[in-house]
C-alpha cells in the first residue's frame, strides 16, 4: 500500500444482492431494466387489519448454500441470513481465493437499521404465552444488529476491521463509505460492506403504519411506490441485503481481479433538525453531496447519473430535488436521476448498498434504470427522473444518495475505472 492515505485508491471488485426483484445482482438488474416491480400484497402474515397491506417481500429464499450448515441457519435471524447470502455472492463474484490472502487485512462492515425484528417479535410472543423459561438462549445473539457483520466474518475467518453501522435508511451507504475510508487509511486491503433488513412482519409493518409513513394504495400494489409523482402517498417496505467488495487498487491488481469501478468519494452529514422529516430545502443532503464530491475531487459537471434516495414520501422527494439543484446548479437539468424504490420498495438499512450495486451496473453497461410509476410528475420535482423506461447513457461518474430518520445523510461517488 502507498505511504500516504490520499494516494491509496479503492475499487469495487464484487457485489451480491438479495432483493424482492431478484436474488442476484444480474437478476435484479434485468428486472429493473424491464420495468418490473417487486411489490405485492403481503404474504408472510395476515395483514388484513393493517392500514398498509403491501410490501416488497423476498420470496422463496434459500439461505442454506451460503452457510456452513443448516443448523447455523436456524441460529440466525432472517436479516443475518440475507446478509450472509449477499456477502457470499459478493465473495464468489470477486473471484478471491481467501486461502491465498491475508485474512487479517480483510474486514466486514455490514449494518442494519433495525436488526432481528423477526426474532424480537417471536420471542416476545413466547414470553407472553409461555413465560421467560421458554425463551431461546439464542434470542439476544439472533436479534442484535451487529450479528450479520459478525457471523459473516466468522464463517469466512475475516479478522480485519469489523463494525456494524446503524443509521436507519443511510446505514449501508455509511458502511460503504466508512469501509472506503478504512482502506484509504491503510487499515485493511479488502472490505465487505453493505447492509441488510428484514422488517416485513406484524411488528415492523404495524410500527410504520402507526407513523403514517407508508403508502396505503393497497388495491394497486405495483403502482404504490411512485417516487417524484404527484400522487405519491408514502413509501412501501422492502427487505433484503446488498454487499459490495471494496479493495485497495494494488491489491486487486496483484490478484488479477476484475474491476467494476473506482469508489472516489464519501459524504456524511447530519440535518440536526427533526426525528423523521428532512431539513428544509434538503440542506443537510446538499452538504453531504458537496462533501462527497470534494473528497472525490470531482466537479458537479463530472456526474452523469444520481441514484436518488427517492422514497416516494411527500416531503422527502421534494427536499432531495431541492438539494440536487443546490449542489449541481444548471447541471442539475442535464443529470439523469432515478429512484429504483418504485421497483424494489424501500429496503431501509439495505437500500444504499443494493442501490450502489445498481450504480455499479450503470457504470459497467452505460444504461440507467428507470423511475417506474412516474405518471404525473410533482411540479416541485422537475428534474429528469428517467420515467418508465431504462435509458442508454454514457455513465462516467455516479452519485448514490441515502438519507435516514434521525437526520443521517450519506452519499458515495464512483466513476468508471480508468487505470
Amino acid at each position: 500500500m502507498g505511504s500516504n492515505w490520499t494516494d491509496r485508491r479503492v475499487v469495487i471488485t464484487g457485489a451480491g444482492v438479495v432483493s424482492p426483484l431478484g436474488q442476484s445482482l444480474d437478476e435484479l438488474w434485468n428486472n429493473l431494466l424491464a420495468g418490473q416491480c417487486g411489490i405485492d400484497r403481503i404474504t408472510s402474515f395476515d395483514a388484513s387489519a393493517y392500514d398498509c397491506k403491501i410490501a416488497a417481500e423476498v420470496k422463496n429464499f434459500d439461505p442454506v448454500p451460503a452457510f456452513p450448515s443448516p443448523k447455523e441457519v436456524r441460529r440466525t435471524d432472517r436479516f443475518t441470513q440475507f446478509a450472509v447470502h449477499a456477502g457470499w455472492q459478493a465473495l464468489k463474484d470477486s473471484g478471491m481465493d481467501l486461502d491465498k490472502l491475508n485474512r487479517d487485512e480483510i474486514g466486514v462492515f455490514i449494518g442494519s437499521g433495525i436488526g432481528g425484528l423477526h426474532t424480537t417479535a417471536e420471542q416476545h410472543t413466547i414470553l407472553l404465552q409461555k413465560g421467560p423459561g421458554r425463551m431461546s438462549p439464542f434470542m439476544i445473539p439472533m436479534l442484535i444488529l451487529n450479528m450479520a457483520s459478525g457471523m459473516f466474518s466468522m464463517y469466512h475467518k475475516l479478522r480485519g476491521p469489523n463494525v456494524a453501522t446503524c443509521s436507519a435508511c443511510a446505514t449501508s451507504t455509511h458502511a460503504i463509505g466508512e469501509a472506503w475510508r478504512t482502506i484509504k487509511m491503510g487499515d485493511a486491503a479488502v472490505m465487505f460492506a453493505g447492509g441488510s433488513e428484514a422488517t416485513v412482519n406484524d411488528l415492523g409493518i404495524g410500527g410504520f403504519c402507526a407513523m403514517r409513513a407508508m403508502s396505503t394504495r393497497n388495491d394497486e400494489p405495483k403502482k404504490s411506490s411512485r417516487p417524484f409523482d404527484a400522487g405519491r402517498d408514502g413509501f412501501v417496505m422492502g427487505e433484503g441485503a446488498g454487499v459490495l467488495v471494496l479493495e485497495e487498487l494494488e491489491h486487486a491488481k496483484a490478484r488479477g481481479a476484475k474491476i467494476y469501478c473506482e469508489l472516489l468519494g464519501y459524504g456524511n452529514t447530519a440535518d440536526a433538525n427533526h426525528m423523521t422529516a428532512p431539513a428544509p430545502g434538503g440542506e443537510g443532503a446538499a452538504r453531504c453531496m458537496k462533501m462527497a464530491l470534494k473528497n472525490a475531487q470531482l466537479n458537479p459537471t463530472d456526474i452523469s447519473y444520481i441514484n436518488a434516495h427517492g422514497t416516494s414520501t411527500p416531503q422527502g422527494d421534494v427536499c432531495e430535488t431541492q438539494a440536487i439543484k443546490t449542489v449541481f446548479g444548471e447541471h442539475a437539468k442535464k443529470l439523469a436521476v432515478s429512484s429504483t424504490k418504485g421497483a424494489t420498495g424501500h429496503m431501509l438499512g439495505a437500500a444504499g448498498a443494493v442501490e450502489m450495486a445498481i450504480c455499479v451496473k450503470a457504470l459497467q453497461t452505460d444504461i440507467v434504470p428507470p423511475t417506474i410509476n412516474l405518471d404525473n410528475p410533482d411540479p416541485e420535482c422537475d428534474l429528469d427522473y428517467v420515467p418508465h423506461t431504462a435509458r442508454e447513457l454514457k455513465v462516467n461518474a455516479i452519485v448514490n444518495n441515502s438519507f435516514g430518520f434521525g437526520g443521517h445523510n450519506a452519499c458515495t461517488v464512483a466513476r468508471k475505472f480508468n487505470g
Side-chain angles (χ1 to χ4, degrees):
M1 294 186 189
S3 57
N4 186 346
W5 77 271
T6 54
D7 295 336
R8 277 189 285 275
R9 296 169 65 185
V10 181
V11 292
I12 293 175
T13 57
V17 165
V18 175
S19 85
L21 209 56
Q23 295 182 32
S24 70
L25 178 52
D26 284 343
E27 187 184 0
L28 166 64
W29 179 248
N30 291 334
N31 286 332
L32 275 176
L33 298 192
Q36 298 294 308
C37 180
I39 298 167
D40 214 330
R41 304 278 291 194
I42 292 170
T43 61
S44 55
F45 69 98
D46 180 4
S48 56
Y50 294 72
D51 291 340
C52 176
K53 310 178 200 310
I54 52 178
E57 297 173 294
V58 173
K59 295 177 178 171
N60 305 313
F61 173 63
D62 180 12
V64 172
F67 279 75
S69 70
K71 183 174 79 173
E72 286 294 322
V73 175
R74 292 192 296 274
R75 293 178 173 180
T76 55
D77 188 88
R78 185 169 169 87
F79 92 101
T80 298
Q81 293 169 13
F82 287 157
V84 168
H85 202 286
W88 172 70
Q89 289 181 43
L91 173 59
K92 287 199 300 180
D93 186 43
S94 75
M96 270 191 290
D97 182 349
L98 293 175
D99 291 333
K100 294 180 179 176
L101 301 175
N102 181 358
R103 283 176 160 91
D104 294 349
E105 293 185 346
I106 304 175
V108 184
F109 287 3
I110 299 176
S112 180
I114 296 178
L117 202 62
H118 285 267
T119 298
T120 302
E122 289 162 5
Q123 292 301 309
H124 187 241
T125 300
I126 289 170
L127 171 65
L128 294 180
Q129 293 180 352
K130 299 180 180 178
R134 300 296 296 277
M135 293 168 70
S136 169
F138 291 102
M139 173 187 154
I140 298 300
M142 284 174 72
L143 73 84
I144 50 180
L145 65 83
N146 63 300
M147 206 47 78
S149 203
M151 296 310 282
F152 185 75
S153 72
M154 290 176 214
Y155 294 152
H156 299 284
K157 302 290 185 282
L158 308 178
R159 297 183 295 265
N162 194 297
V163 166
T165 52
C166 179
S167 45
C169 312
T171 289
S172 53
T173 300
H174 277 140
I176 292 165
E178 295 302 332
W180 170 81
R181 201 195 303 263
T182 298
I183 294 172
K184 293 283 276 184
M185 293 298 291
D187 293 333
V190 179
M191 294 293 299
F192 288 81
S196 183
E197 208 76 81
T199 53
V200 182
N201 67 354
D202 49 4
L203 200 58
I205 298 293
F208 280 103
C209 280
M211 284 182 66
R212 310 221 175 284
M214 293 201 294
S215 173
T216 54
R217 197 184 285 255
N218 297 308
D219 296 333
E220 296 182 295
K222 302 292 184 196
K223 297 182 178 179
S224 57
S225 179
R226 35 199 323 114
F228 307 111
D229 186 85
R232 67 191 185 280
D233 70 329
F235 78 88
V236 179
M237 183 88 77
E239 63 177 356
V243 176
L244 300 173
V245 178
L246 278 57
E247 194 164 354
E248 193 270 329
L249 176 58
E250 297 308 319
H251 187 277
K253 283 181 174 177
R255 67 175 188 86
K258 73 170 183 304
I259 293 172
Y260 281 122
C261 61
E262 183 171 6
L263 192 56
L264 287 180
Y266 164 53
N268 175 4
T269 65
D271 284 351
N273 174 65
H274 187 272
M275 285 172 72
T276 56
E283 181 274 334
R287 283 187 290 111
C288 189
M289 283 186 270
K290 285 178 181 175
M291 183 189 292
L293 287 167
K294 176 170 119 330
N295 286 336
Q297 298 181 320
L298 293 184
N299 297 311
T301 51
D302 294 324
I303 302 300
S304 318
Y305 169 64
I306 296 178
N307 187 292
H309 188 56
T311 57
S312 185
T313 57
Q315 275 183 299
D317 291 4
V318 172
C319 286
E320 185 169 10
T321 299
Q322 292 168 332
I324 291 169
K325 290 177 178 178
T326 298
V327 175
F328 290 90
E330 284 299 305
H331 186 60
K333 296 286 187 185
K334 300 173 186 172
L335 281 165
V337 181
S338 68
S339 170
T340 43
K341 290 184 176 72
T344 65
H346 188 358
M347 297 165 68
L348 307 184
V354 171
E355 287 155 11
M356 190 64 205
I358 291 166
C359 288
V360 165
K361 292 296 286 186
L363 285 162
Q364 185 189 26
T365 62
D366 286 322
I367 303 171
V368 295
T371 304
I372 65 168
N373 299 324
L374 185 48
D375 300 327
N376 301 295
D378 182 332
E380 291 189 79
C381 298
D382 56 354
L383 300 175
D384 177 2
Y385 301 112
V386 195
H388 304 302
T389 51
R391 183 183 305 166
E392 291 190 25
L393 174 79
K394 186 70 175 170
V395 183
N396 293 312
I398 63 90
V399 164
N400 184 34
N401 284 336
S402 299
F403 313 125
F405 286 171
H408 300 280
N409 305 305
C411 176
T412 48
V413 175
R415 73 174 171 200
K416 278 183 161 55
F417 177 67
N418 57 12

